[in-house]
């Protein structure tokens, strides 16, 4: 008899999530009584709105606590279709929608459904930490497209074209972006779409920060541009950031029926349905009036402007003004520290937590989150400024 006690090869290339680890560390230190200012937060600081909580409480009270269809309840899938139509000019039928346990899960499912061993997935860098790792888990190869600060961290269609090979399968696009806050406009998306259609490349469009967008800009869904790109795109969104529902774990995707059937099958044999109670809460959230976001967005824009006004005066740091999401991606190369050392020392010596850029493919950067109240942002900026004066 042969006994093999080795773990599967699958996870050998995969690193743990630096964003989750740092957030957990900051929360732990805070719970232990240390006065930490959390600039690492990857979630909005406001509470889930009461009308959403009430829908979940009703669901529990009325016994809506059993399995639902794998891809989500018909009620929620209809609400998602309405949302796509209302906010994104996207026509999806309920059978094209799969609701999952967070947008992270939706992206993972999409990669599982599309990527064969050795297929290349194009990822603009800096990127959100999980994209390359998920690609590895799916036996794909991440291929990075360098997005330069001179172009506001956006790739152009030329940059994209240069990285296409016979193995290219998909492009992972994230607008507004985590960690850079860049936002692609309609023209830029149009040019990217043209190449993807010409080369038959799938697009996984992660639109989770859609509602957090500043300077009067509007969000454009790449799939809404024309029929051809619609057929190749998996549009991913979720409730975590826009409704402050990170713990409820609801994300969703809209795609061709072929892709959504494959994703649904995968979910049948992995998680089954997302939590029934969260699904009821999600229906309430998605059916709420759109002006709900205006106030939140205004508040986040104020915070961004405050942080920028402070960071501009710190001569060891430079940055590109983010147009969306709630992060400022700061170039720290003038301090001569790598991002891990910078973040570690800042936490130890000044009690401010940030996320090192290494996890985002940019080791000369750190990510500062402004998902925090103004008072905390003020103290954090004071500490950062004082600490930087050492260099
Ligand atoms: N995409 C990006 C770019 C994110 O920052 C996050 C935040 N975790 C997600 C997807 C996933 O969000 P969730 O799984 O909470 O819906
Ligand atoms: N998306 C957030 C972040 O980047 C939350 C943590 C995570 O899921 O990675 O910080």
């Amino acid at each position: 008899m042969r006994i093999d006690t080795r773990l599967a090869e699958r996870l050998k290339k995969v690193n743990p999530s630096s964003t989750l680890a740092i957030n957990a560390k900051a929360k732990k230190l805070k719970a232990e009584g240390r006065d930490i200012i959390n600039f690492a937060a990857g979630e909005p600081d406001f509470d889930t709105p009461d009308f959403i909580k009430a829908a979940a409480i009703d669901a529990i009270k009325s016994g809506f606590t059993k399995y639902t269809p794998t891809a989500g309840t018909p009620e929620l899938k209809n609400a998602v279709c309405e949302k796509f139509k209302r906010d994104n000019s996207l026509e999806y039928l309920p059978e094209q929608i799969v609701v999952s346990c967070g947008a992270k899960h939706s992206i993972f499912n999409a990669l599982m459904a599309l990527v064969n061993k050795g297929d290349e997935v194009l990822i603009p860098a800096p990127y959100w930490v999980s994209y390359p790792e998920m690609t590895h888990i799916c036996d794909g190869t991440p291929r990075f497209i360098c997005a330069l600060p001179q172009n506001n961290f956006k790739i152009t269609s030329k940059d994209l074209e240069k990285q296409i090979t016979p193995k290219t399968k998909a492009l992972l696009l994230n607008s507004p972006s985590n960690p850079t806050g860049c936002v692609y406009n309609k023209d830029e998306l149009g040019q990217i779409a043209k190449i993807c259609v010409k080369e038959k490349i799938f697009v996984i469009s992660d639109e989770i920060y859609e509602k957090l967008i500043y300077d009067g800009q509007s969000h454009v869904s790449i799939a809404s541009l024309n029929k051809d790109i619609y057929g190749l795109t998996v549009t991913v969104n979720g409730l975590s950031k826009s409704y402050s529902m990170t713990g409820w774990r609801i994300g969703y995707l809209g795609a061709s029926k072929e892709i959504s059937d494959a994703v649904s099958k995968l979910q049948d044999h992995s998680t089954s349905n997302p939590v029934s109670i969260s699904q009821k809460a999600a229906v309430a959230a998605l059916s709420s009036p759109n002006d709900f976001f205006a106030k939140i967005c205004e508040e986040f824009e104020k915070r961004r402007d405050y942080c920028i006004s402070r960071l501009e005066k710190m001569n060891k740091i430079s940055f590109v003004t983010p147009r969306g999401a709630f992060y400022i991606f700061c170039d720290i190369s003038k301090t001569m520290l790598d991002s891990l050392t910078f973040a570690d020392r800042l936490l130890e010596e000044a009690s401010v937590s940030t996320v090192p850029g290494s996890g985002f493919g940019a080791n000369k950067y750190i990510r500062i989150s402004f998902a925090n109240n103004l008072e905390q942002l003020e103290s954090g900026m004071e500490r950062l400024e004082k600490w930087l004066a050492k260099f």
Side-chain angles (χ1 to χ4, degrees):
M1 192 173 66
R2 194 164 161 264
I3 299 171
D4 185 349
T5 54
R6 287 169 304 176
L7 300 186
E9 290 293 313
R10 193 175 302 117
L11 292 173
K12 285 228 168 110
K13 282 190 195 160
V14 178
N15 297 304
S17 164
S18 55
T19 46
L20 291 178
I22 282 149
N23 254 302
K25 187 171 175 187
K27 281 183 182 170
K28 182 170 171 274
L29 289 173
K30 234 179 165 160
E32 286 167 6
R34 254 185 79 178
D35 170 29
I36 303 287
I37 303 285
N38 189 6
F39 277 0
E43 56 190 347
D45 54 313
F46 66 91
D47 196 6
T48 305
D50 281 342
F51 73 94
I52 298 175
K53 289 182 182 173
I57 292 165
D58 280 353
I60 295 174
K61 284 191 176 152
S62 65
F64 194 74
T65 53
K66 302 285 169 65
Y67 293 135
T68 74
T70 293
T73 60
E75 186 190 24
L76 178 52
K77 291 206 285 185
N78 280 328
V80 169
C81 289
E82 277 302 308
K83 181 259 175 262
F84 273 139
K85 198 190 303 187
R86 181 182 66 221
D87 297 353
N88 312 105
S89 310
L90 283 171
E91 299 279 347
Y92 286 115
L93 296 169
E95 56 264 37
Q96 293 176 269
I97 305 296
V98 181
V99 184
S100 301
C101 312
K104 189 182 272 184
H105 188 206
S106 303
I107 299 163
F108 181 75
N109 283 349
L111 287 167
M112 282 289 276
L114 294 175
V115 173
N116 280 315
K117 195 172 173 66
D119 282 351
E120 288 176 355
V121 177
L122 295 173
I123 303 177
Y127 44 77
W128 180 46
V129 277
S130 294
Y131 297 154
E133 311 301 337
M134 290 181 182
T135 304
H136 282 307
I137 298 172
C138 298
D139 278 338
T141 306
R143 192 176 171 97
F144 301 111
I145 312 176
C146 182
L148 296 170
Q150 297 87 305
N151 196 36
N152 298 321
F153 289 114
K154 291 190 262 192
I155 58 157
T156 63
S157 51
K158 281 208 180 90
D159 300 327
L160 170 62
E161 248 176 331
K162 276 190 217 149
Q163 298 300 332
I164 295 171
T165 75
K167 289 184 174 169
T168 306
K169 190 62 168 280
L171 165 70
L172 251 164
L173 207 58
N174 177 214
S175 175
S177 146
N178 173 7
T180 67
C182 76
V183 175
Y184 286 82
N185 64 32
K186 195 171 173 182
D187 273 2
E188 292 160 342
L189 289 175
Q191 290 179 26
I192 290 172
K194 221 176 181 172
I195 308 291
C196 291
V197 168
K198 187 174 100 193
E199 303 285 346
K200 301 232 170 345
I201 296 170
F202 288 105
V203 179
I204 300 173
S205 179
D206 177 355
E207 306 183 6
I208 188 97
Y209 292 99
E210 162 198 32
K211 297 294 180 193
L212 295 164
I213 197 159
Y214 315 119
D215 306 318
Q217 296 178 103
S218 39
H219 169 77
V220 179
S221 290
I222 192 165
S224 71
L225 296 181
N226 60 61
K227 258 200 156 137
D228 294 328
I229 193 67
Y230 171 89
L232 288 168
T233 302
V234 179
T235 307
V236 175
N237 213 321
L239 286 89
S240 285
K241 316 290 169 170
S242 35
Y243 300 93
S244 201
M245 290 176 70
T246 48
W248 299 70
R249 310 311 303 135
I250 295 286
Y252 52 86
L253 61 77
S256 68
K257 180 134 184 336
E258 191 186 7
I259 295 176
S260 54
D261 279 351
V263 167
S264 181
K265 192 163 64 175
L266 171 65
Q267 216 163 267
D268 269 348
H269 298 294
S270 48
T271 58
S272 301
N273 61 276
V275 175
S276 60
I277 300 150
S278 296
Q279 289 191 63
K280 279 284 186 192
V283 172
L286 290 175
S287 313
S288 62
N290 237 357
D291 60 4
F292 169 79
F293 302 106
K295 260 196 10 237
I296 293 166
C297 212
E298 204 178 296
E299 174 63 24
F300 273 94
E301 191 160 351
K302 252 193 234 156
R303 295 168 174 190
R304 178 202 64 164
D305 292 345
Y306 171 74
C307 290
I308 283 173
S309 71
R310 294 296 305 261
L311 290 167
E312 272 169 350
K313 295 189 189 104
M314 302 182 202
N315 59 13
K316 290 286 184 295
I317 273 184
S318 60
F319 59 91
V320 175
T321 299
R323 305 288 175 196
F326 42 66
Y327 310 107
I328 305 175
F329 207 46
C330 297
D331 182 339
I332 52 153
S333 42
K334 284 191 190 148
T335 63
M336 309 299 277
L337 299 178
D338 64 79
S339 65
L340 274 167
T341 313
F342 185 103
D344 248 18
R345 283 188 53 185
L346 183 62
L347 182 58
E348 284 311 316
E349 297 167 22
S351 299
V352 176
S353 66
T354 53
V355 183
S358 52
F360 304 103
N363 201 21
K364 295 279 174 218
Y365 287 79
I366 51 136
R367 191 189 75 179
I368 287 179
S369 159
F370 51 90
N372 222 327
N373 63 45
L374 269 177
E375 205 180 299
Q376 291 276 303
L377 293 176
E378 246 177 78
S379 311
M381 287 296 162
E382 293 294 335
R383 291 183 194 185
L384 176 63
E385 192 166 22
K386 247 194 205 150
W387 183 77
L388 277 173
K390 286 184 186 179
F391 293 90

